[in-house]
C-alpha cells in the first residue's frame, strides 16, 4: 500500500555515545524533513582499452538534511542540546525546567558535543540516522505560528529503527498574542516578517581513520542574523544603522510559565537598512538585518533560553 507523508513520523533520543544508536523515544511533530545518507564513492575512470567508467570504489558516508517543525521548547530542547550551544548549556529547575545556552564559537569542540539518534518512518519503513547535530537554526513565522527549521549533519545511517506508535506532545503551538519583540530594551510593535537565523556553518569532517562513517561534525564561523520589516515613520533606526550603534534584540514567546522561548541577540548591529518607494499603493516600509556580535559582558553573541516541562537527561 502506498502511504502519504502524514502517516510518517520522526523520533529522537540523545545518544549516550556519539554515533551509537540510542532507542528513539521522543516524537517530533514536523511539517517536513529531508534527511538522507550522502556518500563520496568515487567512480573508477581508468584508461584500459575502453572509454567507459568501471564502477565505483567505496568512499565515505554521512548524513545531511533538514527538519522543519512548530517551534515549541518541548522538542527544541533536544536540538539545542545536540548543537554547538550544547557545549555551554545549563539545565535548571525541578519542573518546569530551563535550558539556558550561549554560543561556543571559540572552537569546533569535535569531541564534547552531544548528538542525537533520529528515527524516521516513511511509508511504515524505518530509517535511522546516528551522531546527528544541529548546525543551523532558522526561526520564522508561518500564518502567525512560530516555526523552526534545523539543518542537520550526522555520522552515518543504519537500519536500527523499527517504526512504533507515537505519543502526542504536552505543549501546543504559540499564537500571535504570545510573541513579544524588543530592540534596545524597547518594545517594538511595528515589526513583522521576523526571521532569525543562527548558523554555525557546519560540515562533515572525514579523516583517514579507516572507517566509512564521517569522523565528526565540524563547526565554522558563528553567524546570528535577524531580518525583519518595520513601518517607516522616522529616520531613528536609519540613523542607528549609520552610526553602528549596538541594538540588542530579544524575541520572547510565552504560552505559560511552563512554555517559553527566549532568543537574545547580544551586541546587535544593523548589517543592512533599506527603505524605498516600491509601488503606487504600497505602504512605505524599511527592511532591516540585525547581526549579533560577541560582547565581553555577555561572553557570547547569541543566547537561547527554553522553559518546558520536558525533563531531558543530559549525558
Amino acid at each position: 500500500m502506498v502511504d502519504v507523508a502524514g502517516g510518517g513520523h520522526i523520533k529522537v533520543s540523545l545518544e549516550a555515545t556519539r554515533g551509537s544508536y540510542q532507542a528513539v523515544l521522543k516524537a517530533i511533530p514536523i511539517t517536513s524533513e529531508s534527511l538522507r545518507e550522502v556518500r563520496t564513492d568515487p567512480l573508477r575512470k581508468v584508461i584500459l582499452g575502453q572509454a567507459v567508467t568501471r564502477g565505483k570504489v567505496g568512499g565515505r558516508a554521512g548524513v545531511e538534511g533538514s527538519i522543519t517543525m512548530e517551534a515549541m521548547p518541548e522538542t527544541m530542547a533536544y536540538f539545542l542540546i545536540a548543537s554547538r550551544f550544547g557545549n555551554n548549556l545549563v539545565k535548571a529547575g525541578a519542573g518546569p525546567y530551563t535550558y539556558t545556552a550561549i554560543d561556543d564559537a571559540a572552537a569546533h569542540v569535535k569531541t564534547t558535543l552531544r548528538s542525537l539518534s533520529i528515527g524516521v518512518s516513511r511509508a511504515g519503513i524505518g530509517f535511522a540516522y546516528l551522531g546527528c547535530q544541529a548546525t543551523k537554526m532558522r526561526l520564522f513565522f508561518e500564518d502567525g505560528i512560530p516555526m523552526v527549521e534545523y539543518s542537520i549533519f550526522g555520522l552515518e545511517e543504519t537500519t536500527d529503527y523499527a517504526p512504533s506508535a507515537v505519543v502526542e506532545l504536552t505543549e501546543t503551538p504559540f499564537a500571535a498574542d504570545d510573541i513579544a519583540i524588543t530592540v534596545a530594551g524597547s518594545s517594538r510593535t511595528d515589526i513583522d516578517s521576523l526571521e532569525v537565523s543562527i548558523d554555525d556553518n557546519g560540515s562533515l569532517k572525514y579523516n583517514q581513520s579507516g572507517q566509512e562513517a564521517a569522523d565528526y561534525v565540524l563547526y565554522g564561523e558563528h553567524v546570528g542574523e535577524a531580518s525583519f520589516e518595520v513601518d517607516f515613520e522616522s529616520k531613528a533606526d536609519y540613523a542607528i544603522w549609520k552610526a553602528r550603534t549596538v541594538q540588542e534584540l530579544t524575541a520572547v514567546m510565552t504560552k505559560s510559565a511552563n512554555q517559553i522561548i527566549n532568543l537574545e541577540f547580544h551586541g546587535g548591529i544593523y548589517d543592512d537598512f533599506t527603505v524605498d518607494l516600491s509601488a503606487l499603493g504600497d505602504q512605505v516600509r524599511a527592511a532591516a538585518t540585525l547581526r549579533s556580535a560577541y560582547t565581553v559582558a555577555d561572553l557570547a553573541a547569541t543566547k537561547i533560553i527554553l522553559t518546558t516541562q520536558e525533563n531531558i537527561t543530559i549525558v
Side-chain angles (χ1 to χ4, degrees):
M1 181 178 70
V2 177
D3 203 356
V4 297
H9 64 258
I10 277 185
K11 290 183 179 181
V12 304
S13 282
L14 283 177
E15 294 176 340
T17 302
R18 186 175 54 179
S20 295
Y21 181 71
Q22 190 79 21
V24 291
L25 301 173
K26 185 65 177 180
I28 308 290
I30 67 167
T31 58
S32 66
E33 60 84 19
S34 62
L35 297 178
R36 63 189 181 96
E37 182 179 68
V38 293
R39 303 192 58 86
T40 65
D41 302 333
L43 292 168
R44 288 191 67 209
K45 293 187 176 184
V46 296
I47 299 172
L48 194 63
Q50 294 97 17
V52 63
T53 58
R54 292 177 175 260
K56 278 188 173 182
V57 178
R60 301 298 297 271
V63 174
E64 293 181 8
S66 65
I67 299 172
T68 304
M69 61 193 195
E70 295 166 330
M72 290 185 281
E74 181 178 350
T75 51
M76 290 175 64
Y78 287 89
F79 295 90
L80 181 66
I81 294 167
S83 73
R84 196 182 209 168
F85 283 87
N87 209 49
N88 275 333
L89 181 143
V90 176
K91 176 188 174 185
Y97 303 91
T98 60
Y99 300 85
T100 303
I102 57 175
D103 62 89
D104 186 359
H108 65 259
V109 288
K110 69 177 184 179
T111 58
T112 58
L113 284 179
R114 302 172 182 95
S115 56
L116 296 171
S117 288
I118 301 178
V120 185
S121 172
R122 302 179 180 117
I125 300 169
F127 295 77
Y129 303 101
L130 310 185
C132 294
Q133 294 169 345
T135 63
K136 180 180 179 181
M137 182 190 86
R138 183 175 72 95
L139 181 82
F140 61 101
F141 294 84
E142 191 171 276
D143 297 327
I145 298 176
M147 307 291 291
V148 63
E149 178 187 23
Y150 290 103
S151 296
I152 304 294
F153 285 96
L155 303 185
E156 63 177 332
E157 178 192 351
T158 73
T159 57
D160 291 287
Y161 180 54
S164 56
V166 300
V167 177
E168 294 285 340
L169 296 192
T170 301
E171 297 177 353
T172 57
F174 293 97
D177 58 352
D178 298 325
I179 301 157
I181 300 170
T182 64
V183 178
S186 298
S187 176
R188 296 295 296 261
T189 59
D190 56 349
I191 285 175
D192 70 11
S193 306
L194 176 66
E195 181 172 308
V196 176
S197 171
I198 301 172
D199 191 355
D200 279 302
N201 287 283
S203 61
L204 294 174
K205 185 65 170 67
Y206 299 110
N207 291 336
Q208 290 182 313
S209 52
Q211 64 182 28
E212 183 178 87
D215 290 281
Y216 54 87
V217 176
L218 178 65
Y219 287 78
E221 179 186 3
H222 174 85
V223 179
E225 290 186 334
S227 60
F228 51 86
E229 291 187 356
V230 59
D231 298 339
F232 186 72
E233 299 175 286
S234 78
K235 294 182 76 172
D237 288 319
Y238 184 74
I240 288 169
W241 166 64
K242 292 183 69 174
R244 302 176 302 281
T245 305
V246 171
Q247 298 283 285
E248 180 169 306
L249 179 143
T250 64
V252 181
M253 285 145 268
T254 306
K255 177 64 72 174
S256 70
N258 298 328
Q259 184 180 338
I260 304 171
I261 298 173
N262 189 332
L263 302 178
E264 300 178 6
F265 269 35
H266 300 300
I269 48 176
Y270 279 120
D271 203 26
D272 184 45
F273 193 93
T274 303
V275 59
D276 53 30
L277 302 175
S278 55
L280 183 65
D282 287 355
Q283 180 184 8
V284 180
R285 311 207 76 212
T289 302
L290 195 72
R291 180 163 178 155
S292 64
Y294 180 86
T295 66
V296 175
D298 298 300
L299 298 176
T302 314
K303 185 176 186 178
I304 301 174
I305 306 172
L306 303 177
T307 303
T308 177
Q309 291 282 24
E310 186 75 0
N311 184 13
I312 304 173
T313 300
I314 302 176
V315 293

